[in-house]
Amino acid sequence: MTYQAEDGRYERQPYNRSGRSGLKLPAVSLGLWHNFGDTRPIENSRAILRRAFDLGVTHFDLANNYGVPYGSAETNFGRILREDFTPYRDELIISTKAGYDMWPGPYGEWGSRKYVLASLDQSLRRMGLEYVDIFYSHRPDPQTPLEETMGALDRAVRSGKALYAGISNYSAEQTAQAARIMRELGTPLLIHQPSYSMINRWIEDGLLDAVEEAGMGCIVFSPLAQGLLTDRYLDGVPADSRAATSRFLSADRIDLDLARGLDEIARGRGQTLAQMALSWTLRDPRVTSVLIGASSVRQLEDNVACVDGPAFTEDELGAIDKITEGYTAR
């Protein structure tokens, strides 16, 4: 059946301006990491993407090595984009990244001009696009001058293969340096994508200030701490859970007391724990958007509903701080 987006899709989601730019992003964006590769049914991916757009989620975030095998998330997304979303391309923000290992040899990762620009060309071919809206340096390269990596981002924008440039996983100091270089080149950085959650607050120690000073937006990933901040582990570690099956999360990271304490606050707010965790990341106006992953339409709908939650009271924020104090997302 031919997909037709819902007429009221823009009434369900707030849109926030990314820093001092003219671009607005939905408060909730969809990341296509774990659940969009060849190991997952493409019809499930299609259903998630369709429902996300119907709920006002206009931003789909990818990277060159997302999916199993690498590149398959972009390939599958490109197919769904072509078959379902071609009429809506100008309503979408599509982002991708280069920085982590993608192909063998010395030119297949990090931040050299050769790798960054070759990766962008490959991503565009996989997705069947002439350009992406945002292209990121996925991580800083300790052995490549920052001027070279930023110069590659500047070239990507000037060539028309990306509309905006961003960075991810950069420290506060690196962010300030990168922003200065890009301003001098004439292509200001649009956005920073760091990890952030109630139990992973490193960006509060200088990075948010650096982003604000540079006029950049901020879109955060892993707001649910790989599932720790959901109701998935309130009663232990299920056999089919990510903690039991994935290399990205181990069972020894599960803190039942923490999860249950936070869940009690969430229920008092009329939210699930996941919804509260997402709402919490958005409480700071410097956070433009929060990235979620979804393995089902139901999970997507539950997470996107975080935008309907009430504002936090000082008592709630204090209680959350007390429960999470001293916790490190180890």
Side-chain angles (χ1 to χ4, degrees):
M1 180 180 294
T2 302
Y3 169 64
Q4 184 171 346
E6 291 189 8
D7 291 338
R9 58 190 177 276
Y10 293 115
E11 300 171 5
R12 302 178 177 184
Q13 181 92 207
Y15 297 88
N16 303 317
R17 195 171 300 281
S18 184
R20 291 196 292 267
S21 78
L23 184 69
K24 290 184 176 181
L25 295 179
V28 178
S29 299
L30 180 63
L32 280 64
W33 181 20
H34 288 295
N35 301 312
F36 292 83
D38 288 349
T39 58
R40 303 298 177 95
I42 194 165
E43 291 309 313
N44 186 59
S45 301
R46 187 191 308 276
I48 292 170
L49 287 166
R50 285 180 171 187
R51 185 59 179 148
F53 190 52
D54 285 342
L55 292 172
V57 177
T58 55
H59 179 205
F60 300 141
D61 180 76
L62 299 102
N64 55 359
N65 64 350
Y66 282 3
V68 179
Y70 284 177
S72 58
E74 288 184 330
T75 299
N76 292 330
F77 175 72
R79 172 183 166 182
I80 297 169
L81 180 68
R82 181 176 64 254
E83 295 174 352
D84 287 11
F85 290 95
T86 296
Y88 306 105
R89 173 62 182 100
D90 290 338
E91 298 182 44
L92 299 176
I93 300 297
I94 299 170
S95 60
T96 195
K97 314 177 194 74
Y100 285 93
D101 62 301
M102 182 58 193
W103 62 84
Y107 320 120
E109 63 176 326
W110 292 109
S112 71
R113 183 182 182 90
K114 179 173 178 61
Y115 165 68
V116 169
L117 294 178
S119 178
L120 176 57
D121 285 341
Q122 291 183 19
S123 291
L124 293 175
R125 285 196 295 269
R126 280 190 291 269
M127 291 187 283
L129 292 172
E130 295 181 355
Y131 70 93
V132 291
D133 297 277
I134 306 171
F135 182 50
Y136 288 90
S137 167
H138 207 167
R139 62 173 172 172
D141 183 346
Q143 296 184 324
T144 297
L146 192 56
E147 288 81 1
E148 179 176 341
T149 304
M150 294 303 104
L153 293 183
D154 174 68
R155 175 59 181 167
V157 173
R158 291 184 184 277
S159 69
K161 295 178 181 180
L163 299 186
Y164 300 95
I167 55 176
S168 180
N169 298 304
Y170 280 55
S171 70
E173 181 179 0
Q174 291 166 333
T175 296
Q177 293 173 346
R180 175 185 55 78
I181 293 168
M182 292 296 279
R183 280 196 305 271
E184 293 172 353
L185 291 171
T187 304
L189 285 172
L190 172 81
I191 199 163
H192 190 297
Q193 186 177 136
S195 61
Y196 185 47
S197 73
M198 289 190 287
I199 55 175
N200 176 23
R201 302 191 183 188
W202 72 277
I203 71 172
E204 296 175 3
D205 188 21
L207 180 60
L208 283 173
D209 291 335
V211 166
E212 182 179 31
E213 184 175 345
M216 299 164 60
C218 180
I219 180 171
V220 299
F221 70 90
S222 291
L224 303 181
Q226 299 293 321
L228 292 175
L229 298 175
T230 71
D231 60 8
R232 186 70 163 145
Y233 302 105
L234 294 178
D235 297 314
V237 182
D240 63 345
S241 66
R242 184 174 294 178
T245 62
S246 171
R247 66 186 175 92
F248 295 105
L249 178 65
S250 58
D252 62 4
R253 287 181 57 191
I254 306 301
D255 187 323
L256 295 179
D257 290 337
L258 178 136
R260 289 168 180 167
L262 293 173
D263 182 64
E264 183 176 351
I265 298 172
R267 285 188 282 108
R269 289 170 46 82
Q271 292 183 300
T272 65
L273 175 52
Q275 288 168 347
M276 183 181 77
L278 295 168
S279 296
W280 183 91
T281 65
L282 290 165
R283 80 199 188 286
D284 191 316
R286 293 173 295 182
V287 175
T288 310
S289 183
V290 58
L291 272 169
I292 62 169
S295 59
S296 68
V297 169
R298 180 178 178 181
Q299 185 182 55
L300 170 80
E301 291 173 339
D302 180 78
N303 287 348
V304 171
C306 72
V307 299
D308 299 322
F312 285 93
T313 67
E314 290 299 322
D315 287 344
E316 288 170 340
L317 292 173
I320 290 170
D321 288 345
K322 184 175 181 180
I323 291 172
T324 59
E325 184 179 12
Y327 186 91
T328 301
R330 49 191 182 277

